[in-house]
Amino acid sequence: MLVTAYLAFVVLLFLCAALELAARKLTPQAGSASVVNPAFRRFQTVFLQAYLLALWSDWLQGPYLYKLYRHYSFLESQIAILYVCGLASCVLFAPVSGWLPLLLGRRRTCLLFCLSYSACCLTKLSRDYFVLIVGRVLGGLSTSLLSTTFESWYLHRHVDVRDFPKEWIPGTFAKAATWNHGLAVGAGLVANMLAEWLRLGPVAPFLLAVPCLACCAWLVLTQWAREEADGGAEGDERPPIPGASAPAQSRLSAKARFYRSCHDGLRCLLSDRRVLLLGGVQALFESVLYIFVFLWTPVLDPHRAPLGIVFSCLMAASMAGSLLYRLATSTRYRLQPGHLLCLAVLLAFFSFFMLTFSTLPAQPRPHDSFLAFLLLELACGLYFPAVSFLQSRVVPEEKRAGVLAWFRLPLHLLACLGLLALHGEVSGSGEGEGGSGTRHMFAGCAAMMFAALMSVVSLFTLSRHDSDLRLEADGF
Protein backbone atom coordinates (compact mmCIF):
# COMPACT_ATOMS: atom_id res chain seq x y z
CA MET A 1 0.00 0.00 0.00
CA LEU A 2 2.90 2.37 0.65
CA VAL A 3 4.17 2.13 -2.94
CA THR A 4 0.63 2.19 -4.35
CA ALA A 5 -0.27 5.37 -2.46
CA TYR A 6 2.83 7.29 -3.56
CA LEU A 7 2.49 6.10 -7.17
CA ALA A 8 -1.19 7.06 -7.25
CA PHE A 9 -0.32 10.49 -5.83
CA VAL A 10 2.20 11.20 -8.60
CA VAL A 11 -0.17 9.98 -11.33
CA LEU A 12 -3.06 12.06 -9.98
CA LEU A 13 -0.92 15.19 -9.80
CA PHE A 14 0.07 14.82 -13.46
CA LEU A 15 -3.57 14.13 -14.38
CA CYS A 16 -4.76 17.26 -12.55
CA ALA A 17 -2.07 19.39 -14.20
CA ALA A 18 -3.06 18.13 -17.66
CA LEU A 19 -6.77 18.69 -17.00
CA GLU A 20 -6.12 22.19 -15.65
CA LEU A 21 -4.21 23.17 -18.79
CA ALA A 22 -6.95 21.76 -21.01
CA ALA A 23 -9.69 23.46 -18.97
CA ARG A 24 -8.00 26.86 -19.18
CA LYS A 25 -7.89 26.61 -22.97
CA LEU A 26 -11.55 25.66 -23.30
CA THR A 27 -13.28 27.63 -20.54
CA PRO A 28 -13.23 31.39 -19.93
CA GLN A 29 -12.09 32.62 -16.54
CA ALA A 30 -14.99 33.90 -14.43
CA GLY A 31 -14.88 37.55 -13.48
CA SER A 32 -12.03 38.45 -15.83
CA ALA A 33 -13.24 42.06 -16.06
CA SER A 34 -12.63 42.51 -12.34
CA VAL A 35 -8.89 41.89 -12.75
CA VAL A 36 -8.32 45.46 -13.98
CA ASN A 37 -10.03 47.01 -10.93
CA PRO A 38 -7.35 47.57 -8.26
CA ALA A 39 -9.88 48.33 -5.48
CA PHE A 40 -11.67 45.06 -6.08
CA ARG A 41 -8.41 43.10 -6.26
CA ARG A 42 -7.35 44.50 -2.87
CA PHE A 43 -10.74 43.65 -1.38
CA GLN A 44 -10.65 40.15 -2.85
CA THR A 45 -7.13 39.55 -1.50
CA VAL A 46 -8.13 40.70 1.99
CA PHE A 47 -10.99 38.19 2.01
CA LEU A 48 -9.10 35.27 0.48
CA GLN A 49 -6.11 35.50 2.81
CA ALA A 50 -8.25 34.92 5.90
CA TYR A 51 -10.69 32.52 4.27
CA LEU A 52 -8.00 30.26 2.83
CA LEU A 53 -6.21 30.13 6.20
CA ALA A 54 -9.48 28.99 7.75
CA LEU A 55 -9.89 26.30 5.08
CA TRP A 56 -6.26 25.19 5.49
CA SER A 57 -6.78 24.77 9.24
CA ASP A 58 -9.87 22.68 8.54
CA TRP A 59 -8.13 20.41 6.01
CA LEU A 60 -5.19 19.76 8.35
CA GLN A 61 -7.55 17.91 10.68
CA GLY A 62 -8.85 15.49 8.05
CA PRO A 63 -6.19 12.79 7.59
CA TYR A 64 -5.50 11.72 11.17
CA LEU A 65 -8.71 12.23 13.18
CA TYR A 66 -9.69 8.55 13.28
CA LYS A 67 -6.04 7.53 13.70
CA LEU A 68 -5.73 9.82 16.73
CA TYR A 69 -8.69 8.19 18.45
CA ARG A 70 -7.23 4.74 17.72
CA HIS A 71 -3.89 5.98 19.05
CA TYR A 72 -5.71 6.73 22.31
CA SER A 73 -6.93 3.08 22.33
CA PHE A 74 -10.62 3.76 21.78
CA LEU A 75 -12.72 1.05 20.14
CA GLU A 76 -14.39 1.54 16.76
CA SER A 77 -17.79 1.72 18.43
CA GLN A 78 -16.55 4.50 20.74
CA ILE A 79 -15.05 6.40 17.81
CA ALA A 80 -18.37 6.11 15.97
CA ILE A 81 -20.08 7.86 18.90
CA LEU A 82 -17.50 10.67 18.72
CA TYR A 83 -18.27 11.14 15.03
CA VAL A 84 -22.01 11.09 15.77
CA CYS A 85 -21.51 13.85 18.35
CA GLY A 86 -19.81 15.95 15.69
CA LEU A 87 -22.59 15.41 13.17
CA ALA A 88 -25.33 15.99 15.75
CA SER A 89 -23.70 19.27 16.77
CA CYS A 90 -23.74 20.30 13.10
CA VAL A 91 -27.52 19.75 13.11
CA LEU A 92 -28.00 21.67 16.35
CA PHE A 93 -25.74 24.56 15.43
CA ALA A 94 -26.91 24.95 11.82
CA PRO A 95 -29.71 27.37 12.88
CA VAL A 96 -27.31 29.18 15.19
CA SER A 97 -24.80 29.72 12.39
CA GLY A 98 -27.59 31.30 10.37
CA TRP A 99 -28.53 34.04 12.81
CA LEU A 100 -25.32 34.52 14.80
CA PRO A 101 -23.80 36.83 12.13
CA LEU A 102 -26.98 38.92 12.30
CA LEU A 103 -26.75 39.07 16.08
CA LEU A 104 -23.00 39.51 16.69
CA GLY A 105 -21.92 40.88 13.33
CA ARG A 106 -20.18 38.97 10.58
CA ARG A 107 -16.61 39.81 11.53
CA ARG A 108 -17.10 38.93 15.21
CA THR A 109 -18.65 35.62 14.19
CA CYS A 110 -15.56 34.82 12.11
CA LEU A 111 -13.47 35.51 15.22
CA LEU A 112 -15.75 33.17 17.17
CA PHE A 113 -15.03 30.50 14.57
CA CYS A 114 -11.27 30.89 15.07
CA LEU A 115 -11.66 30.68 18.85
CA SER A 116 -13.98 27.65 18.86
CA TYR A 117 -11.93 25.72 16.29
CA SER A 118 -8.70 26.40 18.19
CA ALA A 119 -10.33 25.06 21.36
CA CYS A 120 -11.52 22.02 19.37
CA CYS A 121 -7.95 21.31 18.24
CA LEU A 122 -6.52 21.70 21.74
CA THR A 123 -8.97 19.13 23.14
CA LYS A 124 -7.16 16.53 21.00
CA LEU A 125 -4.29 16.67 23.51
CA SER A 126 -6.52 14.96 26.08
CA ARG A 127 -7.18 11.23 26.30
CA ASP A 128 -10.34 11.82 28.31
CA TYR A 129 -13.41 10.65 26.39
CA PHE A 130 -15.66 13.44 27.71
CA VAL A 131 -13.13 16.12 26.70
CA LEU A 132 -12.96 14.62 23.20
CA ILE A 133 -16.76 14.71 22.98
CA VAL A 134 -16.66 18.40 23.90
CA GLY A 135 -14.09 18.85 21.15
CA ARG A 136 -16.39 17.20 18.62
CA VAL A 137 -19.23 19.51 19.67
CA LEU A 138 -16.97 22.54 19.21
CA GLY A 139 -15.92 21.11 15.86
CA GLY A 140 -19.56 20.91 14.77
CA LEU A 141 -20.11 24.55 15.71
CA SER A 142 -16.94 25.59 13.90
CA THR A 143 -17.81 23.66 10.74
CA SER A 144 -21.25 25.28 10.64
CA LEU A 145 -19.71 28.74 11.03
CA LEU A 146 -17.05 28.09 8.39
CA SER A 147 -19.65 27.10 5.81
CA THR A 148 -21.69 30.31 6.21
CA THR A 149 -19.98 33.19 7.99
CA PHE A 150 -16.97 33.99 5.80
CA GLU A 151 -19.03 33.96 2.61
CA SER A 152 -21.70 36.06 4.32
CA TRP A 153 -19.12 38.76 5.17
CA TYR A 154 -17.78 38.76 1.63
CA LEU A 155 -21.18 38.94 -0.08
CA HIS A 156 -22.36 41.70 2.25
CA ARG A 157 -19.27 43.80 1.63
CA HIS A 158 -19.21 43.06 -2.14
CA VAL A 159 -22.85 43.90 -2.84
CA ASP A 160 -24.25 46.08 -0.06
CA VAL A 161 -21.21 48.16 0.92
CA ARG A 162 -18.69 48.23 -1.94
CA ASP A 163 -21.37 47.99 -4.63
CA PHE A 164 -19.16 45.96 -6.95
CA PRO A 165 -20.94 44.21 -9.86
CA LYS A 166 -22.53 40.91 -8.91
CA GLU A 167 -20.95 39.35 -11.99
CA TRP A 168 -17.58 39.52 -10.22
CA ILE A 169 -18.68 37.27 -7.35
CA PRO A 170 -18.19 33.93 -9.21
CA GLY A 171 -14.60 34.93 -9.99
CA THR A 172 -13.77 35.18 -6.29
CA PHE A 173 -15.34 31.87 -5.36
CA ALA A 174 -13.85 30.13 -8.41
CA LYS A 175 -10.43 31.30 -7.23
CA ALA A 176 -11.25 30.14 -3.68
CA ALA A 177 -12.34 26.73 -4.99
CA THR A 178 -9.12 26.30 -6.99
CA TRP A 179 -6.99 27.18 -3.99
CA ASN A 180 -9.17 25.01 -1.75
CA HIS A 181 -8.36 21.89 -3.77
CA GLY A 182 -4.66 22.67 -3.67
CA LEU A 183 -4.79 23.31 0.07
CA ALA A 184 -6.52 19.98 0.65
CA VAL A 185 -3.82 18.11 -1.27
CA GLY A 186 -1.08 20.01 0.54
CA ALA A 187 -2.69 19.44 3.94
CA GLY A 188 -2.39 15.68 3.47
CA LEU A 189 1.31 16.01 2.63
CA VAL A 190 2.04 18.27 5.62
CA ALA A 191 0.04 16.08 8.00
CA ASN A 192 1.86 12.99 6.76
CA MET A 193 5.22 14.73 7.20
CA LEU A 194 4.44 15.73 10.79
CA ALA A 195 2.77 12.51 11.91
CA GLU A 196 4.91 9.89 10.13
CA TRP A 197 8.08 11.31 8.59
CA LEU A 198 8.97 13.40 11.68
CA ARG A 199 7.27 10.87 14.01
CA LEU A 200 5.44 13.56 15.99
CA GLY A 201 2.29 11.45 16.22
CA PRO A 202 -1.27 11.95 14.91
CA VAL A 203 -1.93 14.93 17.20
CA ALA A 204 0.70 17.08 15.44
CA PRO A 205 -1.53 18.28 12.53
CA PHE A 206 -4.16 19.47 15.02
CA LEU A 207 -1.56 21.48 16.91
CA LEU A 208 -0.32 23.06 13.67
CA ALA A 209 -3.89 24.19 12.93
CA VAL A 210 -3.96 26.36 16.08
CA PRO A 211 -1.35 28.95 14.98
CA CYS A 212 -2.94 28.97 11.51
CA LEU A 213 -6.28 29.85 13.12
CA ALA A 214 -4.54 32.51 15.20
CA CYS A 215 -3.16 34.05 11.99
CA CYS A 216 -6.64 33.94 10.48
CA ALA A 217 -8.05 35.75 13.53
CA TRP A 218 -5.28 38.36 13.29
CA LEU A 219 -6.16 39.06 9.65
CA VAL A 220 -9.83 39.39 10.54
CA LEU A 221 -8.99 41.76 13.40
CA THR A 222 -6.63 43.95 11.39
CA GLN A 223 -7.14 43.75 7.62
CA TRP A 224 -10.89 43.17 7.73
CA ALA A 225 -11.33 45.99 10.24
CA ARG A 226 -9.25 48.27 7.99
CA GLU A 227 -11.34 47.21 4.99
CA GLU A 228 -14.53 48.06 6.86
CA ALA A 229 -13.09 51.43 7.88
CA ASP A 230 -11.99 52.23 4.32
CA GLY A 231 -15.06 50.88 2.54
CA GLY A 232 -17.73 51.96 4.98
CA ALA A 233 -19.37 50.69 8.13
CA GLU A 234 -20.29 47.04 8.31
CA GLY A 235 -23.90 47.91 7.60
CA ASP A 236 -25.66 45.65 10.09
CA GLU A 237 -28.00 48.42 11.16
CA ARG A 238 -31.57 47.21 11.63
CA PRO A 239 -34.86 49.09 11.85
CA PRO A 240 -35.77 49.82 15.47
CA ILE A 241 -38.43 47.76 17.19
CA PRO A 242 -40.76 49.91 19.31
CA GLY A 243 -40.46 49.38 23.04
CA ALA A 244 -37.30 47.23 22.80
CA SER A 245 -33.78 48.03 23.93
CA ALA A 246 -30.95 48.05 21.38
CA PRO A 247 -29.67 44.54 22.26
CA ALA A 248 -33.24 43.21 22.23
CA GLN A 249 -33.85 44.84 18.85
CA SER A 250 -30.77 43.09 17.50
CA ARG A 251 -31.84 39.69 18.84
CA LEU A 252 -35.44 40.02 17.64
CA SER A 253 -34.39 41.18 14.19
CA ALA A 254 -31.91 38.33 13.80
CA LYS A 255 -34.40 35.70 14.95
CA ALA A 256 -37.17 37.14 12.80
CA ARG A 257 -34.99 36.99 9.70
CA PHE A 258 -33.92 33.44 10.48
CA TYR A 259 -37.43 32.10 11.17
CA ARG A 260 -38.82 33.82 8.09
CA SER A 261 -36.01 32.30 6.00
CA CYS A 262 -36.77 28.81 7.34
CA HIS A 263 -40.52 29.24 6.80
CA ASP A 264 -40.07 30.42 3.21
CA GLY A 265 -37.58 27.63 2.56
CA LEU A 266 -39.98 24.94 3.79
CA ARG A 267 -42.82 26.32 1.66
CA CYS A 268 -40.56 26.30 -1.41
CA LEU A 269 -39.44 22.76 -0.64
CA LEU A 270 -42.98 21.42 -0.34
CA SER A 271 -44.49 23.37 -3.24
CA ASP A 272 -41.95 22.43 -5.95
CA ARG A 273 -41.31 18.74 -6.63
CA ARG A 274 -38.05 19.54 -8.41
CA VAL A 275 -36.70 21.14 -5.23
CA LEU A 276 -37.87 18.14 -3.20
CA LEU A 277 -36.16 15.63 -5.50
CA LEU A 278 -32.95 17.64 -5.61
CA GLY A 279 -33.00 17.83 -1.83
CA GLY A 280 -33.43 14.06 -1.67
CA VAL A 281 -30.40 13.55 -3.91
CA GLN A 282 -28.31 15.90 -1.79
CA ALA A 283 -29.37 14.33 1.52
CA LEU A 284 -28.66 10.77 0.34
CA PHE A 285 -25.38 11.51 -1.45
CA GLU A 286 -23.79 13.76 1.14
CA SER A 287 -24.87 11.73 4.18
CA VAL A 288 -23.08 8.76 2.62
CA LEU A 289 -19.97 10.93 2.29
CA TYR A 290 -19.99 11.57 6.03
CA ILE A 291 -20.06 7.82 6.62
CA PHE A 292 -17.21 7.38 4.12
CA VAL A 293 -15.13 9.96 6.03
CA PHE A 294 -15.42 7.69 9.07
CA LEU A 295 -14.75 4.39 7.29
CA TRP A 296 -11.82 5.01 4.94
CA THR A 297 -9.18 5.07 7.67
CA PRO A 298 -10.06 1.73 9.37
CA VAL A 299 -10.19 0.07 5.94
CA LEU A 300 -6.67 1.16 4.87
CA ASP A 301 -4.77 1.79 8.10
CA PRO A 302 -4.31 -1.92 9.03
CA HIS A 303 -2.42 -2.38 5.75
CA ARG A 304 0.19 0.29 6.67
CA ALA A 305 -1.13 2.89 4.24
CA PRO A 306 0.40 6.38 4.70
CA LEU A 307 -2.79 8.15 5.73
CA GLY A 308 -1.63 11.67 4.83
CA ILE A 309 -0.60 10.61 1.33
CA VAL A 310 -3.83 8.66 0.90
CA PHE A 311 -5.77 11.77 1.95
CA SER A 312 -3.85 13.83 -0.62
CA CYS A 313 -4.69 11.21 -3.28
CA LEU A 314 -8.37 11.43 -2.40
CA MET A 315 -8.34 15.22 -2.62
CA ALA A 316 -6.43 15.10 -5.92
CA ALA A 317 -9.06 12.70 -7.31
CA SER A 318 -11.77 15.17 -6.25
CA MET A 319 -9.85 17.97 -7.98
CA ALA A 320 -9.66 15.85 -11.13
CA GLY A 321 -13.43 15.39 -11.00
CA SER A 322 -14.09 19.13 -10.76
CA LEU A 323 -11.71 19.77 -13.67
CA LEU A 324 -13.49 17.09 -15.71
CA TYR A 325 -16.74 18.92 -14.98
CA ARG A 326 -15.27 22.16 -16.36
CA LEU A 327 -14.11 20.34 -19.50
CA ALA A 328 -17.37 18.47 -20.00
CA THR A 329 -19.47 21.64 -19.77
CA SER A 330 -17.18 23.67 -22.02
CA THR A 331 -18.26 24.89 -25.45
CA ARG A 332 -16.45 21.99 -27.10
CA TYR A 333 -18.26 19.13 -25.35
CA ARG A 334 -21.44 20.84 -24.05
CA LEU A 335 -22.54 18.15 -21.62
CA GLN A 336 -25.32 19.22 -19.28
CA PRO A 337 -24.91 19.39 -15.47
CA GLY A 338 -27.87 17.08 -15.03
CA HIS A 339 -26.16 14.32 -17.00
CA LEU A 340 -22.94 14.82 -15.04
CA LEU A 341 -24.90 14.62 -11.79
CA CYS A 342 -26.30 11.28 -12.94
CA LEU A 343 -22.79 10.10 -13.84
CA ALA A 344 -21.47 11.17 -10.43
CA VAL A 345 -24.18 9.28 -8.54
CA LEU A 346 -23.66 6.22 -10.74
CA LEU A 347 -19.90 6.27 -10.09
CA ALA A 348 -20.50 6.59 -6.36
CA PHE A 349 -22.92 3.66 -6.42
CA PHE A 350 -20.37 1.54 -8.28
CA SER A 351 -17.68 2.54 -5.74
CA PHE A 352 -19.72 1.36 -2.77
CA PHE A 353 -20.71 -1.79 -4.65
CA MET A 354 -17.00 -2.52 -5.10
CA LEU A 355 -16.35 -1.86 -1.41
CA THR A 356 -18.90 -4.44 -0.29
CA PHE A 357 -16.69 -7.10 -1.92
CA SER A 358 -13.24 -5.64 -1.24
CA THR A 359 -13.83 -5.44 2.53
CA LEU A 360 -14.67 -9.09 3.19
CA PRO A 361 -13.30 -9.89 6.68
CA ALA A 362 -11.65 -13.13 5.52
CA GLN A 363 -10.13 -11.72 2.29
CA PRO A 364 -9.69 -7.94 2.41
CA ARG A 365 -8.40 -6.37 -0.79
CA PRO A 366 -7.00 -2.95 0.23
CA HIS A 367 -5.83 -2.02 -3.29
CA ASP A 368 -9.36 -2.52 -4.65
CA SER A 369 -10.76 -0.50 -1.72
CA PHE A 370 -8.28 2.30 -2.42
CA LEU A 371 -9.33 2.37 -6.08
CA ALA A 372 -12.99 2.50 -5.03
CA PHE A 373 -12.26 5.43 -2.71
CA LEU A 374 -10.55 7.30 -5.56
CA LEU A 375 -13.56 6.70 -7.82
CA LEU A 376 -15.84 8.00 -5.09
CA GLU A 377 -13.80 11.20 -4.73
CA LEU A 378 -13.79 11.61 -8.51
CA ALA A 379 -17.59 11.36 -8.34
CA CYS A 380 -17.59 14.04 -5.64
CA GLY A 381 -15.63 16.37 -7.90
CA LEU A 382 -18.35 15.96 -10.55
CA TYR A 383 -21.23 16.07 -8.07
CA PHE A 384 -20.69 19.34 -6.21
CA PRO A 385 -20.51 21.76 -9.18
CA ALA A 386 -23.39 19.93 -10.90
CA VAL A 387 -25.69 20.06 -7.88
CA SER A 388 -24.69 23.68 -7.22
CA PHE A 389 -25.70 24.64 -10.76
CA LEU A 390 -29.05 22.85 -10.46
CA GLN A 391 -29.74 24.49 -7.08
CA SER A 392 -29.09 27.90 -8.60
CA ARG A 393 -31.69 27.18 -11.31
CA VAL A 394 -34.31 25.36 -9.21
CA VAL A 395 -34.24 27.23 -5.89
CA PRO A 396 -35.04 30.99 -5.94
CA GLU A 397 -32.12 33.07 -4.69
CA GLU A 398 -34.09 34.80 -1.93
CA LYS A 399 -35.19 31.42 -0.51
CA ARG A 400 -31.97 29.48 -1.07
CA ALA A 401 -30.53 29.85 2.44
CA GLY A 402 -33.70 28.50 4.04
CA VAL A 403 -34.05 25.64 1.55
CA LEU A 404 -30.42 24.58 2.00
CA ALA A 405 -30.90 24.60 5.77
CA TRP A 406 -33.74 22.09 5.35
CA PHE A 407 -31.59 20.03 2.96
CA ARG A 408 -28.89 19.70 5.62
CA LEU A 409 -31.25 18.40 8.31
CA PRO A 410 -31.97 14.92 6.80
CA LEU A 411 -28.39 14.84 5.51
CA HIS A 412 -26.89 14.90 9.00
CA LEU A 413 -29.63 12.73 10.50
CA LEU A 414 -29.03 9.96 7.94
CA ALA A 415 -25.29 10.08 8.61
CA CYS A 416 -25.87 9.90 12.38
CA LEU A 417 -28.23 6.94 12.01
CA GLY A 418 -25.71 5.13 9.80
CA LEU A 419 -22.88 5.59 12.30
CA LEU A 420 -25.14 4.57 15.19
CA ALA A 421 -26.06 1.42 13.28
CA LEU A 422 -22.36 0.67 12.79
CA HIS A 423 -21.75 1.30 16.50
CA GLY A 424 -24.53 -1.13 17.42
CA GLU A 425 -23.30 -3.83 15.06
CA VAL A 426 -19.67 -3.60 16.17
CA SER A 427 -20.43 -3.48 19.89
CA GLY A 428 -23.12 -6.14 19.72
CA SER A 429 -21.25 -8.72 17.63
CA GLY A 430 -18.58 -11.12 18.71
CA GLU A 431 -16.37 -10.24 15.74
CA GLY A 432 -15.00 -7.09 17.33
CA GLU A 433 -12.75 -4.83 15.34
CA GLY A 434 -12.41 -5.70 11.69
CA GLY A 435 -15.68 -7.65 11.57
CA SER A 436 -18.39 -7.49 8.95
CA GLY A 437 -19.91 -4.24 10.25
CA THR A 438 -17.86 -2.13 7.84
CA ARG A 439 -18.88 -4.29 4.88
CA HIS A 440 -22.55 -4.12 5.86
CA MET A 441 -22.27 -0.34 6.17
CA PHE A 442 -20.82 -0.10 2.66
CA ALA A 443 -23.73 -2.22 1.41
CA GLY A 444 -26.14 0.19 3.10
CA CYS A 445 -24.34 3.13 1.49
CA ALA A 446 -24.69 1.45 -1.91
CA ALA A 447 -28.44 1.09 -1.30
CA MET A 448 -28.71 4.78 -0.36
CA MET A 449 -26.75 5.76 -3.45
CA PHE A 450 -29.10 3.67 -5.59
CA ALA A 451 -32.01 5.59 -4.07
CA ALA A 452 -30.21 8.82 -4.96
CA LEU A 453 -29.82 7.55 -8.52
CA MET A 454 -33.56 6.91 -8.72
CA SER A 455 -34.20 10.45 -7.46
CA VAL A 456 -31.96 11.85 -10.21
CA VAL A 457 -33.82 9.83 -12.83
CA SER A 458 -37.15 11.11 -11.46
CA LEU A 459 -35.84 14.68 -11.61
CA PHE A 460 -34.83 14.18 -15.25
CA THR A 461 -38.22 12.69 -16.10
CA LEU A 462 -40.03 15.59 -14.46
CA SER A 463 -37.82 18.28 -16.04
CA ARG A 464 -36.77 16.80 -19.39
CA HIS A 465 -38.27 19.78 -21.27
CA ASP A 466 -37.24 22.39 -18.69
CA SER A 467 -34.72 24.76 -20.30
CA ASP A 468 -33.91 26.31 -16.90
CA LEU A 469 -31.93 23.20 -15.95
CA ARG A 470 -29.70 23.36 -19.02
CA LEU A 471 -26.60 25.43 -19.68
CA GLU A 472 -28.07 26.52 -23.02
CA ALA A 473 -31.68 27.15 -23.77
CA ASP A 474 -31.59 25.24 -27.03
CA GLY A 475 -29.90 22.18 -25.50
CA PHE A 476 -27.75 19.92 -27.62
Side-chain angles (χ1 to χ4, degrees), residues 134-195:
V134 172
R136 291 298 294 166
V137 173
L138 289 173
L141 170 63
S142 305
T143 302
S144 299
L145 293 177
L146 177 61
S147 64
T148 57
T149 308
F150 283 83
E151 292 185 11
S152 175
W153 182 88
Y154 174 81
L155 292 173
H156 170 69
R157 300 292 303 174
H158 183 110
V159 177
D160 299 332
V161 179
R162 287 288 194 170
D163 197 27
F164 290 126
K166 290 185 178 181
E167 293 77 15
W168 294 358
I169 293 176
T172 299
F173 289 108
K175 186 177 292 188
T178 301
W179 276 99
N180 189 34
H181 280 118
L183 290 174
V185 175
L189 287 174
V190 172
N192 194 86
M193 179 185 68
L194 294 174

Side-chain angles (χ1 to χ4, degrees), residues 270-292:
L270 297 177
S271 61
D272 192 336
R273 194 180 171 195
R274 299 180 308 167
V275 179
L276 192 61
L277 287 171
L278 190 61
V281 174
Q282 183 173 355
L284 290 166
F285 191 100
E286 296 182 27
S287 62
V288 164
L289 293 184
Y290 279 108
I291 298 173
F292 155 73

Side-chain angles (χ1 to χ4, degrees), residues 6-166:
Y6 279 99
L7 181 61
F9 178 68
V10 173
V11 171
L12 285 167
L13 282 186
F14 277 108
L15 176 63
C16 289
L19 290 174
E20 175 66 27
L21 290 175
R24 288 189 178 186
K25 292 179 180 178
L26 295 178
T27 58
Q29 296 296 314
S32 57
S34 63
V35 175
V36 298
N37 188 310
F40 174 76
R41 290 181 62 185
R42 286 193 299 270
F43 166 65
Q44 186 185 66
T45 301
V46 165
F47 166 71
L48 287 177
Q49 285 176 342
Y51 184 47
L52 293 176
L53 266 176
L55 293 173
W56 168 256
S57 304
D58 184 47
W59 285 121
L60 279 173
Q61 304 174 52
Y64 285 94
L65 181 60
Y66 186 99
K67 179 74 171 182
L68 178 69
Y69 295 145
R70 290 294 290 155
H71 179 70
Y72 289 160
S73 301
F74 292 116
L75 300 176
E76 185 173 327
S77 56
Q78 294 173 305
I79 300 173
I81 293 298
L82 287 170
Y83 274 74
V84 168
C85 289
L87 292 173
S89 67
C90 284
V91 176
L92 294 176
F93 287 123
V96 176
S97 67
W99 61 263
L100 258 183
L102 302 174
L103 178 62
L104 300 177
R106 297 168 182 86
R107 187 163 59 90
R108 293 190 187 95
T109 309
C110 291
L111 292 173
L112 176 63
F113 157 80
C114 296
L115 180 64
S116 63
Y117 223 5
S118 297
C120 168
C121 293
L122 292 175
T123 60
K124 303 299 187 294
L125 290 169
S126 174
R127 293 175 178 263
D128 185 87
Y129 195 67
F130 176 75
V131 174
L132 293 174
I133 286 179
V134 172
R136 291 298 294 166
V137 173
L138 289 173
L141 170 63
S142 305
T143 302
S144 299
L145 293 177
L146 177 61
S147 64
T148 57
T149 308
F150 283 83
E151 292 185 11
S152 175
W153 182 88
Y154 174 81
L155 292 173
H156 170 69
R157 300 292 303 174
H158 183 110
V159 177
D160 299 332
V161 179
R162 287 288 194 170
D163 197 27
F164 290 126
K166 290 185 178 181

